[in-house]
Amino acid sequence: MSSFFSCSIPVIYREAIPAAVPVFTRILHRQSTTKVSFPKKRIISIPNTNYLTKQASQTKSFHTTSFLKLDKIKTCTTSPAFSLDHREYSTKAETLRMVPPVKPQSFTYPEVRRDESVQDNYHETIISDPYRWLEDPDSEETRQFVQDQNNLTIPYLESCSVREKLRNRLTQLWNYEKYSCPSKRGNRYYFFKNTGLQNQSVLYTQKTLDDEPTVFFDPNALAEDGTIAISTYKFSENGEIFAYGLSKSGSDWMTVHFKNTSTGQDYSDLLEKVKYTHLTWTHDNLGIFYARYPDQEGKTDGSETTSSENQKLYYHRIGTPQTDDTLMVEFPQNPKWMIGAEVTNCGNYLIVLPQEECRDNLVYYASLIEPIKNNLKEPLQLTQVVTKFEADYAYVTNDGSEMIFRTNKNAPNYRLIKIDFNNPVEEAWTTLVAQHEKNVLDWATAVNNDKVVLCYINDVKNTLELHELGDGSYIQDFPIELGTITAFSGKREHSEVFFQFSSFLTPGRIYRIDFHKKPWEAVVLREIKLKGVDTTKFTTTQVFFPSKDGTKIPMFIVHNKELQLDGTHPCLLYAYGGFNISIQPTFSITRLVYMLHVNGIIAEANIRGGGEYGENWHNAGRLHNKQNCFDDFQAAGEFLVQNKYTSCKKLAIQGGSNGGLLVGACVNQRPDLFGAGIAQVGVMDMLRFHKFTIGYTWASDYGSSDSKDHFHTLLKYSPLHNVKVPEQADRQYPALLLLTADHDDRVVPCHSFKLIAEIQHRLKDHPSQTNPLLIRIDTKAGHGAGKPTAKIIEEHTDILCFMIRAMGHQVHEL
């Protein structure tokens, strides 16, 4: 299972095709049926509100996969290309539309006040922060800054000569049916479906898989612009009540509501000040445990910057007001702890998993037998099992007091262990499934009463295995194509499970395994098909290239099969590299348009800091090793240039959130290597990130400037603090587009505000700086999750237009 607190990690949904919901049926689709309408001309002004201003369907199909291992790499501008055994293709004659050549252009950037008096003393080092005032989202001066920047950026993007055709093409290709895996709850099946262009996916229900489905819940009816989204949900054990969280404008804050599944009627219950939580039902079906921030003051709409502290775990009984909810668990001496909780499969225990940062958690438990008899009116008495923050523990299932957890304790590639709560000392723990020598155990779930399904990551691709739950012994594989399992649905008491597969070139395929029928095999239940495009004309290759220190880094490259490697093609390079998150191949309409109509190449590098090769890979890219991430990304760019996939001027880099930091740092360190940088909702101020909302949890990957040791490391790569004019007079920064949003309460927008102000200030008078340095600031949007389809298409149109205009790409007829 994924971490309870993955929702606090600074991660971006690359295209948000399905919604990423923090429950084990992890991927919910979010495209639309309703007509998507776009304004003919955007109004460049600030609304009266406090204007500060992805995905899910991870897919991976590999039509041809080769593994190229290289020994060394040199610099982009001086090294000869490697000699690789690639097949040569002849390029068919194509009808091209030439965007007018990019002429050197001078930009008049907004005058942004610098307050040189603002200084901080970090361990006897004085650091100026002249744009500190931009941290106040509500000031008139910040609002004016936003308007001035959008007044520069939006006309530039809208002047792209092929903008409307691009947007129409994106909309056309986006308009295909998308589905999630079915889940059986009670005596009914549920699944999400998007007819094509609906802003949010709709939850459907059916009695059998052959019945005609009917709409159970349509979030599109909640807001005309689609900015209210389902952020989490959980059915009661008997399937009679649907508990669901709604978020507005992309904020992490949500309100929790309840619906009767038989009548469709809503309960009057409303839970507020809820954030970073799962919902878990007691097995009497009378109530849920949930976490909230009752002491949060001021705004709770996603536009605030104040830290979220003192989360507490409550029990809510259906049919009662929130004021009557019972405080079950709190840790007043540890205000930054977040409290994960899960009722065990048997219903007799509550497992409590506190976490302070984005890795490692503790384990407590409480018996629910007597408390439930007393209507859970008093705080629970906890027994502690794990006492140190030194590993991850995720509950899988249990038999009586014997619990099964997935953990990386003494197992960097993860294993399954048994802990008997009647004797929970570590010396008594036993291994159920040992860690694999190479492959990473991504998740595990119990099925068919006495079996467990294990999903592994093998060189960034997924494999699926079935094991005995009793002794952990291997039973069989479920063969799948090279790609990613993006969603899974099944419970221990069920004799059927569902999973969803996708790839770079496959939108999605849903499989069903029926354990009543032998041999056990995965049978296609539904194929998600794209209309009007033949994806077989493209190919996917996986290469392994050496980074600066010789470490072999994997990278996927996707392009037209007939593309000739002559260094003339546009290329978009993406990576993330942080928080133990594995970036596996993902289907993307935007990337498809880029390949189809710009003849572009897509490259996705699995750099260190991620989870693709377990905790060791993660550790190699965090804290004092963070520079490895930037070295890996730059080495990926050098590989693509030296092997004639592209050239420096045609190479664009993209990343979001922690990946936005990646882009910001690499643009500073190697401005000569890239033609453009696109940084979405990036973490840019590495000295102050921990002071805003949930930023303090990221210290597990970054460290904190509060520590002298970490301060000096952070200062070396912090994008905000390393902007400099290129030493060579004829060099300039690549074209740069930062993107942020007014309701991003994960990575607050002042990160991007301060960076663009600093970059424009440093480079505005540099005579060779003709590439644009811009920021796009969205409204009624957050970090990425829950973003409506119309906004996604608008944003991705802007990103494509930026690359086409700033880099002078040729465009095939649209």
Side-chain angles (χ1 to χ4, degrees):
M1 283 198 179
S2 56
S3 167
F4 272 105
F5 306 106
S6 59
C7 52
S8 68
I9 292 172
V11 63
I12 182 69
Y13 302 93
R14 282 172 287 180
E15 193 162 273
I17 291 181
V21 173
V23 292
F24 193 58
T25 304
R26 292 182 288 186
I27 307 303
L28 318 177
H29 295 321
R30 47 175 58 97
Q31 278 65 335
S32 21
T33 332
T34 53
K35 181 179 179 182
V36 176
S37 59
F38 302 96
K40 296 210 176 203
K41 185 170 183 71
R42 282 180 281 190
I43 299 173
I44 312 167
S45 62
I46 359 182
N48 293 329
T49 57
N50 292 325
Y51 178 107
L52 263 197
T53 348
K54 32 246 208 130
Q55 186 156 16
S57 131
Q58 294 190 5
T59 61
K60 307 186 183 196
S61 91
F62 309 80
H63 286 250
T64 57
T65 303
S66 62
F67 298 89
L68 309 177
K69 298 192 176 183
L70 309 177
D71 295 326
K72 58 183 179 178
I73 198 157
K74 301 180 182 177
T75 64
C76 166
T77 53
T78 60
S79 300
F82 287 107
S83 176
L84 295 178
D85 183 19
H86 278 282
R87 179 180 173 186
E88 296 294 329
Y89 297 103
S90 59
T91 306
K92 292 180 180 179
E94 301 278 3
T95 303
L96 302 179
R97 175 189 179 94
M98 280 293 296
V99 173
V102 177
K103 298 178 181 178
Q105 178 177 356
S106 61
F107 289 83
T108 302
Y109 294 106
E111 290 294 329
V112 182
R113 178 174 66 87
R114 290 175 64 87
D115 185 351
E116 302 291 355
S117 68
V118 180
Q119 296 182 332
D120 295 300
N121 186 330
Y122 292 94
H123 315 287
E124 300 183 359
T125 300
I126 303 301
I127 302 293
S128 297
D129 192 4
Y131 300 115
R132 178 74 58 82
W133 58 270
L134 282 169
E135 293 178 3
D136 180 2
D138 301 320
S139 75
E140 287 301 320
E141 194 173 16
T142 300
R143 291 161 60 87
Q144 186 62 50
F145 168 87
V146 169
Q147 182 170 344
D148 290 344
Q149 294 292 339
N150 274 346
N151 282 343
L152 175 67
T153 300
I154 293 176
Y156 179 86
L157 299 174
E158 292 189 337
S159 65
C160 177
S161 61
V162 294
R163 175 181 171 76
E164 288 307 308
K165 289 185 177 180
L166 270 175
R167 184 167 64 181
N168 291 340
R169 183 60 166 153
L170 277 172
T171 304
Q172 177 191 30
L173 290 180
W174 219 288
N175 191 14
Y176 66 98
E177 291 184 340
K178 308 160 191 75
Y179 296 85
S180 73
C181 285
S183 300
K184 191 170 187 180
R185 297 297 180 261
N187 60 357
R188 303 184 69 87
Y189 292 92
Y190 295 88
F191 65 92
F192 283 85
K193 176 186 175 182
N194 194 302
T195 56
L197 295 173
Q198 289 173 284
N199 276 321
Q200 303 292 336
S201 292
V202 177
L203 184 58
Y204 285 80
T205 184
Q206 56 190 162
K207 288 186 177 181
T208 73
L209 295 174
D210 297 323
D211 287 347
E212 185 69 23
T214 59
V215 172
F216 174 70
F217 183 68
D218 183 0
N220 295 290
L222 303 176
E224 186 175 352
D225 60 1
T227 54
I228 297 179
I230 297 175
S231 51
T232 190
Y233 69 90
K234 193 69 177 286
F235 287 89
S236 60
E237 287 299 307
N238 62 6
E240 289 299 311
I241 304 176
F242 175 63
Y244 59 101
L246 296 177
S247 64
K248 295 181 179 179
S249 302
S251 171
D252 282 330
W253 289 105
M254 63 175 131
T255 55
V256 178
H257 309 256
F258 301 86
K259 180 183 286 291
N260 186 292
T261 61
S262 297
T263 66
Q265 295 298 308
D266 292 317
Y267 292 83
S268 60
D269 306 46
L270 175 65
L271 309 183
E272 299 179 305
K273 291 193 175 181
V274 180
K275 195 178 192 181
Y276 310 134
T277 186
H278 287 315
L279 311 175
T280 185
W281 284 86
T282 53
H283 282 214
D284 58 8
N285 305 296
L286 296 178
I288 63 166
F289 295 100
Y290 72 103
R292 66 182 176 117
Y293 291 91
D295 303 324
Q296 184 86 13
E297 297 180 353
K299 297 184 298 180
T300 54
D301 63 359
S303 64
E304 74 284 350
T305 61
T306 51
S307 289
S308 299
E309 297 184 351
N310 296 300
Q311 191 185 55
K312 301 177 182 182
L313 187 73
Y314 285 83
Y315 171 73
H316 174 75
R317 192 175 181 87
I318 302 302
T320 64
Q322 187 178 21
T323 53
D324 289 350
D325 289 357
T326 306
L327 174 61
M328 306 307 298
V329 177
E330 64 175 333
F331 298 97
Q333 303 306 313
N334 300 282
K336 294 183 178 180
W337 286 12
M338 294 180 290
I339 307 172
E342 185 162 2
V343 175
T344 56
N345 290 157
C346 64
N348 291 334
Y349 298 90
L350 181 73
I351 296 179
V352 177
L353 305 170
Q355 187 167 337
E356 186 170 22
E357 297 179 340
C358 289
R359 54 172 283 158
D360 304 336
N361 57 277
L362 308 179
V363 178
Y364 294 78
Y365 74 91
S367 172
L368 293 178
I369 297 173
E370 292 302 319
I372 285 178
K373 291 178 181 178
N374 296 320
N375 296 322
L376 291 161
K377 287 297 186 181
E378 296 179 355
L380 293 172
Q381 300 300 310
L382 298 180
T383 299
Q384 189 165 14
V385 177
V386 175
T387 60
K388 295 180 181 179
F389 288 111
E390 59 181 9
D392 298 329
Y393 298 86
Y395 168 76
V396 177
T397 189
N398 68 293
D399 285 306
S401 63
E402 195 172 68
M403 306 287 158
I404 298 176
F405 287 87
R406 170 185 170 269
T407 183
N408 58 358
K409 172 72 172 178
N410 299 325
N413 288 344
Y414 292 85
R415 60 177 173 147
L416 295 186
I417 62 171
K418 287 185 176 182
I419 302 176
D420 191 335
F421 279 177
N422 289 332
N423 183 26
V425 296
E426 185 174 340
E427 293 76 17
W429 299 359
T430 59
T431 296
L432 178 64
V433 178
Q435 74 164 337
H436 192 279
E437 180 181 358
K438 176 186 176 183
N439 299 343
V440 179
L441 178 57
D442 195 23
W443 51 261
T445 189
V447 300
N448 197 38
N449 189 44
D450 59 356
K451 305 294 188 295
V452 60
V453 173
L454 306 182
C455 181
Y456 285 94
I457 301 174
N458 176 10
D459 277 331
V460 200
K461 291 89 64 179
N462 281 140
T463 62
L464 203 62
E465 296 181 3
L466 186 68
H467 288 240
E468 291 286 357
L469 190 58
D471 61 10
S473 59
Y474 169 85
I475 300 174
Q476 69 172 78
D477 285 331
F478 292 105
I480 56 174
E481 298 175 38
L482 296 177
T484 302
I485 296 172
T486 60
F488 183 92
S489 170
K491 299 183 73 174
R492 183 171 178 178
E493 61 266 30
H494 293 164
S495 60
E496 64 180 347
V497 298
F498 305 88
F499 68 89
Q500 186 160 357
F501 166 89
S502 58
S503 74
F504 283 118
L505 302 173
T506 304
R509 190 176 300 122
I510 297 170
Y511 291 89
R512 177 177 181 255
I513 302 171
D514 184 352
F515 289 103
H516 283 148
K517 297 180 180 179
K518 286 193 174 183
W520 296 327
E521 58 183 353
V523 177
V524 175
L525 176 72
R526 180 175 284 125
E527 183 92 27
I528 298 172
K529 295 182 179 180
L530 189 66
K531 296 181 291 188
V533 175
D534 178 14
T535 58
T536 62
K537 67 194 295 185
F538 300 102
T539 184
T540 300
T541 303
Q542 188 180 40
V543 300
F544 289 80
F545 62 88
S547 188
K548 182 177 181 179
D549 62 0
T551 300
K552 297 296 177 67
I553 310 298
M555 177 166 62
F556 293 105
I557 304 173
V558 191
H559 57 79
N560 192 300
K561 288 179 179 177
E562 298 188 356
L563 177 138
Q564 292 182 330
L565 298 182
D566 56 11
T568 65
H569 300 285
C571 181
L572 180 60
L573 171 62
Y574 177 93
Y576 183 77
F579 297 93
N580 204 23
I581 292 174
S582 301
I583 300 299
Q584 299 177 259
T586 302
F587 184 77
S588 164
I589 290 295
T590 306
R591 290 174 170 182
L592 187 60
V593 168
Y594 181 78
M595 292 190 291
L596 281 169
H597 299 293
V598 188
N599 202 21
I601 298 168
I602 297 298
E604 188 165 277
N606 299 105
I607 63 178
R608 284 172 284 185
E612 292 88 345
Y613 293 96
E615 189 59 23
N616 292 336
W617 196 253
H618 176 208
N619 289 336
R622 72 181 189 98
L623 301 178
H624 298 301
N625 296 324
K626 190 63 180 175
Q627 182 60 41
N628 285 338
C629 303
F630 314 136
D631 292 343
D632 293 353
F633 202 44
Q634 292 162 32
E638 290 176 328
F639 170 85
L640 292 165
V641 172
Q642 292 163 0
N643 290 281
K644 296 188 179 298
Y645 286 95
T646 189
S647 65
C648 292
K649 290 184 178 180
K650 292 183 178 292
L651 176 60
I653 54 175
Q654 181 184 22
S657 199
N658 175 73
L661 159 64
L662 177 70
V663 170
C666 288
V667 163
N668 282 339
Q669 293 178 10
R670 289 295 308 276
D672 61 303
L673 182 56
F674 312 110
I678 300 158
Q680 296 164 270
V681 293
V683 186
M684 304 302 193
D685 185 348
M686 300 310 296
L687 302 187
R688 289 178 58 79
F689 71 86
H690 59 297
K691 297 183 180 293
F692 307 114
T693 61
I694 206 65
Y696 59 80
T697 65
W698 312 336
S700 57
D701 253 51
Y702 301 146
S704 165
S705 61
D706 292 341
S707 159
K708 182 177 181 179
D709 195 24
H710 288 299
F711 161 71
H712 290 290
T713 297
L714 291 165
L715 186 61
K716 290 178 182 178
Y717 69 79
S718 175
L720 177 62
H721 301 93
N722 287 278
V723 178
K724 52 187 179 293
V725 177
E727 294 180 0
Q728 299 91 336
D730 62 342
R731 294 284 178 86
Q732 63 172 320
Y733 261 51
L736 188 62
L737 179 65
L738 307 185
L739 297 95
T740 188
D742 62 342
H743 282 71
D744 188 349
D745 48 356
R746 188 84 55 88
V747 180
V748 293
C750 67
H751 281 277
S752 296
F753 291 175
K754 293 166 74 174
L755 179 61
I756 199 64
E758 182 70 15
I759 288 177
Q760 291 175 350
H761 169 74
R762 295 284 179 191
L763 297 170
K764 64 182 179 181
D765 296 324
H766 180 50
S768 296
Q769 187 62 48
T770 57
N771 289 329
L773 308 167
L774 305 173
I775 185 170
R776 178 190 188 273
I777 307 164
D778 202 0
T779 56
K780 296 189 73 176
H783 200 61
K787 185 174 289 187
T789 299
K791 277 187 171 291
I792 296 172
I793 293 175
E794 188 78 10
E795 177 179 328
H796 286 259
T797 299
D798 283 346
I799 290 172
L800 289 171
C801 286
F802 175 77
M803 288 191 290
I804 289 168
R805 204 177 156 200
M807 304 177 78
H809 293 330
Q810 296 177 342
V811 181
H812 295 247
E813 285 294 340
L814 292 163

